[in-house]
Amino acid sequence: MIKNFKQKYSIFSLARNSLSYHKNWNKAWRSPHPKKNYDIIIVGGGGHGLATAYYLASVHKLNNIAVIEKGWLGGGNTGRNTTIIRSNYLWDESAAIYEHALKLWESLSTELNFNVMFSQRGVLTISHSEHELKEMSRRVHAIRLNGIDSEILSPSQIKEFIPIINTNQNIRYPVMGGFLQKRGGTARHDAVAWGYARAADSLGVDIIQNCEVQGIIRDQNKIKGIITSKGEISTKKLGVVVAGHSSLLAEMAGLKLPIQSRPLQALVSEPIKPILDTVIMSNAVHMYISQSDKGEMVLGAGVDKYNSYAQKGSFPVPQHMISAAVELFPVLSRLRMLRHWGGIVDTCPDASPIISKTDVDGLYFNCGWGTGGFKATPGSGHVFADLIANNEPNKISAPYSINRFNTGFLIDEHGAAGVAH
Ligand code: FAD
Ligand code: PYC
């Protein structure tokens, strides 16, 4: 009865709102003016920052939290990435965090009551040389020892799985095998930002867009607050999650991070009928491809090899990637590309992230996810919230302390990054 009433009500509400041009449509989140003080401020309204705020409120029951975003939600790398999700990394520390994230992805739409369109369509990484294949099989054993699904496919199994791939061995990049994580896949990136934003807002988090952090105020060795384009705000705990801009924010606090910022490019084609129901990555040629639910082919390339804060890259990078893609998938040869863009990725020397306290009391950084942080969004937010709430890392985040660059306990994931750094 109630269900019927609700259904009826929502049908009428849809009609009413469409006729009034959505004038009275409920906003998914509020747009409050910043208060003078918050217990916790998160800088960065990408997926990681919004997830952090959500878990601070939902898991740790904390309130008086703000997320400060200089542009619009998801306008950074969250809305610019190619949405590949997987947990098939080499080292135990990586397996722990990426698998933690993957498990959270598996129930995220229910948790947020928002369809993030998580699709476990599988991620296949292909090899083009004997050496790569051997390295892959070592990797698959390590991944499986961590209880994560992974399997090697032969060229004929790959052809059966992906009929449009060219497995002719006389081409420049012959397909010699590959490894598949069936539980990997994709999600709708904007929906992830929106879902976390709506859920965080409903728990009282203030989400403040178009508000740039321009300075960080310290009192000796303690955080006091921030200077923003909307005025000064005080806080004792500041979590910085700004992806491509981490070094700039660190500089505002008088810190230096071991990070390089480089452009990473991607392209999307006109929509076509379904031809590809999995994700394919080639680390050797820096080409990866999937098909969105709208039908667009989503393609990405390797990083541009220079540092830059421009959200665009150079032409030779996608040109090289497209020539490999057309050789591997001849069916794409007459496909028209619709959009092309770049994001800035912050990369650490070991291609693993930093989730850490700093030498300044109350200042925390979550950064350095490089080309691969989208997949980690729920897990990253979850453990970063834990770190901020308890002022101590948990078992999963502890290895990602910034201190590892002093102790030498690096987590070298260049081989798993999927994209050359
Ligand atoms: P962002 O979404 O960038 O959020 C940071 C926010 O901080 C931004 O919105 C920015 O505006 C804000 N900000 C910056 N400075 C300030 C300031 N001074 N004041 C206030 N706000 C500020 N990862 C994968 O796992 N799979 C992929 O397939 C994949 N593909 C990628 C493809 C491309 C082309 C790119 C660029 C990246 C890709 N990544 C991928 C990486 C992934 O996008 C990022 O690691 C991840 O999205 C980072 O999320 P975030 O929330 O930390 O950053
Ligand atoms: O991390 O899997 C990844 C990835 C693929 C493309 C860009 N990043």
Side-chain angles (χ1 to χ4, degrees):
M1 176 75 181
I2 291 182
K3 202 172 153 212
N4 282 344
F5 172 78
K6 272 194 179 157
Q7 271 170 358
K8 237 189 201 164
Y9 182 79
S10 63
I11 289 164
F12 284 132
S13 127
L14 270 178
R16 201 177 53 239
N17 280 300
S18 65
L19 291 174
S20 70
Y21 297 98
H22 299 177
K23 218 174 66 199
N24 301 314
W25 195 269
N26 281 341
K27 295 263 189 287
W29 52 85
R30 299 160 296 128
S31 288
H33 285 291
K35 294 195 282 189
K36 288 269 166 257
N37 169 271
Y38 288 96
D39 293 345
I40 303 173
I41 293 178
I42 303 298
V43 188
H48 289 230
L50 292 163
T52 305
Y54 168 72
Y55 292 118
L56 279 167
S58 64
V59 176
H60 301 280
K61 311 288 174 219
L62 296 169
N63 46 41
N64 202 23
I65 301 166
V67 175
I68 307 288
E69 166 55 49
K70 75 171 176 179
W72 65 95
L73 302 187
N77 286 350
T78 296
R80 289 164 190 270
N81 78 89
T82 46
T83 82
I84 299 173
I85 295 170
R86 57 192 173 87
S87 61
N88 50 5
Y89 281 65
L90 182 64
W91 299 107
D92 299 353
E93 295 85 350
S94 320
I97 191 154
Y98 291 107
E99 182 61 14
H100 178 53
L102 186 47
K103 292 217 169 90
L104 290 172
W105 278 112
E106 285 170 338
S107 56
L108 194 60
S109 293
T110 313
E111 162 90 19
L112 301 178
N113 187 24
F114 198 99
N115 188 359
V116 299
M117 295 168 73
F118 178 51
S119 158
Q120 291 180 293
R121 58 186 63 186
V123 175
L124 174 73
T125 308
I126 50 179
S127 78
H128 303 288
S129 70
E130 199 66 46
H131 166 79
E132 218 187 345
L133 199 55
K134 283 193 177 141
E135 201 276 336
M136 261 180 197
S137 91
R138 173 193 179 327
R139 189 169 288 276
V140 164
H141 289 305
I143 294 165
R144 283 195 184 173
L145 282 174
N146 275 315
I148 296 170
D149 67 305
S150 191
E151 58 193 276
I152 291 275
L153 299 192
S154 66
S156 58
Q157 287 171 313
I158 291 177
K159 184 73 185 166
E160 204 177 317
F161 187 48
I162 308 156
I164 60 167
I165 200 166
N166 180 5
T167 48
N168 184 335
Q169 294 298 297
N170 296 320
I171 59 175
R172 183 163 175 209
Y173 304 113
V175 177
M176 305 200 56
F179 76 116
L180 171 68
Q181 182 175 26
K182 283 191 178 147
R183 287 167 59 242
T186 55
R188 169 85 199 275
H189 44 20
D190 304 307
V192 175
W194 300 336
Y196 272 120
R198 192 180 72 152
D201 173 88
S202 75
L203 295 172
V205 172
D206 280 0
I207 297 171
I208 298 152
Q209 298 180 72
N210 300 312
C211 182
E212 185 178 11
V213 174
Q214 296 165 337
I216 294 178
I217 312 167
R218 287 171 56 168
D219 179 7
Q220 308 280 354
N221 224 26
K222 285 197 175 90
I223 276 299
K224 262 193 81 185
I226 50 175
I227 301 164
T228 79
S229 50
K230 294 191 178 179
E232 225 174 273
I233 314 174
S234 66
T235 188
K236 288 194 173 128
K237 286 190 172 185
L238 185 66
V240 181
V241 207
V242 293
H245 297 87
S246 311
S247 304
L248 297 176
L249 270 287
E251 200 179 2
M252 290 179 198
L255 304 176
K256 232 177 164 103
L257 295 174
I259 272 186
Q260 305 285 327
S261 305
R262 302 207 178 101
L264 181 66
Q265 306 182 61
L267 303 90
V268 70
S269 76
E270 60 189 335
I272 54 174
K273 287 190 177 160
I275 57 164
L276 186 62
D277 60 2
T278 189
V279 179
I280 298 153
M281 300 174 54
S282 161
N283 299 358
V285 291
H286 316 311
M287 186 275 320
Y288 40 97
I289 182 165
S290 64
Q291 187 167 22
S292 77
D293 294 337
K294 259 200 282 182
E296 304 149 325
M297 302 309 294
V298 181
L299 291 120
V303 282
D304 279 78
K305 304 282 181 300
Y306 53 86
N307 287 18
S308 166
Y309 286 113
Q311 286 175 316
K312 60 181 184 187
S314 59
F315 184 64
V317 172
Q319 187 185 32
H320 164 80
M321 180 275 290
I322 292 269
S323 68
V326 170
E327 188 192 66
L328 287 165
F329 302 97
V331 70
L332 302 180
S333 65
R334 282 186 292 134
L335 192 69
R336 283 168 297 196
M337 290 296 148
L338 280 194
R339 293 191 306 281
H340 161 241
W341 64 91
I344 311 156
V345 295
D346 273 0
T347 313
C348 291
D350 58 357
S352 284
I354 293 169
I355 308 170
S356 187
K357 294 205 263 190
T358 65
D359 290 340
V360 181
D361 257 9
L363 178 62
Y364 310 84
F365 267 83
N366 181 344
C367 59
W369 290 94
T371 60
F374 178 70
K375 67 176 77 64
T377 305
S380 155
H382 196 257
V383 299
F384 195 44
D386 203 70
L387 171 67
I388 296 173
N390 299 319
N391 197 35
E392 280 306 323
N394 64 20
K395 226 170 108 188
I396 297 179
S397 64
Y400 294 98
S401 160
I402 197 167
N403 211 22
R404 75 178 185 274
F405 299 102
N406 296 325
T407 60
F409 283 104
L410 303 184
I411 308 162
D412 193 328
E413 285 292 3
H414 280 96
V419 181
H421 284 67

